[in-house]
Amino acid sequence: MNVIKGVVAAPEARIAIVIARFNNFINDSLLEGAIDALDRIGQVPSDNITVVWVPGAYELPLTVKVLVETNKYDAVVALGTVIRGGTAHFEYVAGECSSGLSHVALNSNIPVTFGVLTTENIEQAIERAGTKAGNKGAEAALTALEMINVIKALKS
């Protein structure tokens, strides 16, 4: 039986993190979690990590697409937070962000991971950015590293 499992250590990996500035009071914690996971668990040196700030979650897909097309990175991690408000704006931003990132991921040869919180309220966002529910930025970074290794194994 041939079983392929990814590991998270990827000391040679080149990682881009794209992060939304809107809701940065939450996103800063996602970024800290992602960088910490890449460093401590993934063993990725800081020189191999590029952080790109964009205005909001809606801008993540285009930026990720451009980064993928540079062929400089082994994976791209998208981070942001969309919190439901009193209008339909949440559905448009969250839906287009998710759809756009999925489209880029399926049309690229490198992992694109989804570390975008889509929450009902600020409390849920805080819980997912490093308190009760873990840190989704760290999870997205670890997923990127594991997928780099899975794809390498598939191609070898």
Side-chain angles (χ1 to χ4, degrees):
M1 173 170 54
N2 187 18
V3 177
I4 296 173
K5 293 182 181 180
V7 295
V8 293
E12 302 299 319
R14 296 162 301 145
I15 308 294
I17 300 172
V18 184
I19 182 167
R21 197 169 45 251
F22 194 80
N23 287 324
N24 73 304
F25 66 100
I26 299 292
N27 299 342
D28 288 345
S29 294
L30 297 175
L31 179 60
E32 287 174 24
I35 291 172
D36 182 59
L38 292 172
D39 174 42
R40 285 186 320 104
I41 300 168
Q43 303 167 7
V44 178
S46 61
D47 288 347
N48 286 15
I49 302 170
T50 300
V51 177
V52 179
W53 287 89
V54 298
Y58 191 82
E59 290 74 29
L60 291 171
L62 174 60
T63 309
V64 169
K65 177 181 178 287
V66 171
L67 285 166
V68 165
E69 290 172 349
T70 68
N71 294 314
K72 292 180 182 178
Y73 303 99
D74 299 306
V76 181
V77 178
L79 302 176
T81 303
V82 185
I83 301 170
R84 187 178 299 279
T87 68
H89 186 72
F90 171 89
E91 280 82 12
Y92 294 112
V93 173
E96 292 303 316
C97 176
S98 175
S99 177
L101 289 171
S102 176
H103 181 76
V104 173
L106 291 173
N107 289 296
S108 71
N109 290 320
I110 68 167
V112 173
T113 60
F114 189 80
V116 180
L117 303 178
T118 54
T119 64
E120 295 294 320
N121 52 52
I122 291 171
E123 292 76 19
Q124 287 179 351
I126 291 168
E127 288 174 1
R128 287 158 179 78
T131 60
K132 289 182 189 177
N135 187 305
K136 300 305 178 189
E139 290 177 20
L142 293 175
T143 298
L145 294 175
E146 186 171 349
M147 288 303 298
I148 288 169
N149 289 320
V150 166
I151 290 170
K152 268 188 201 172
L154 291 171
K155 290 181 176 181
S156 63

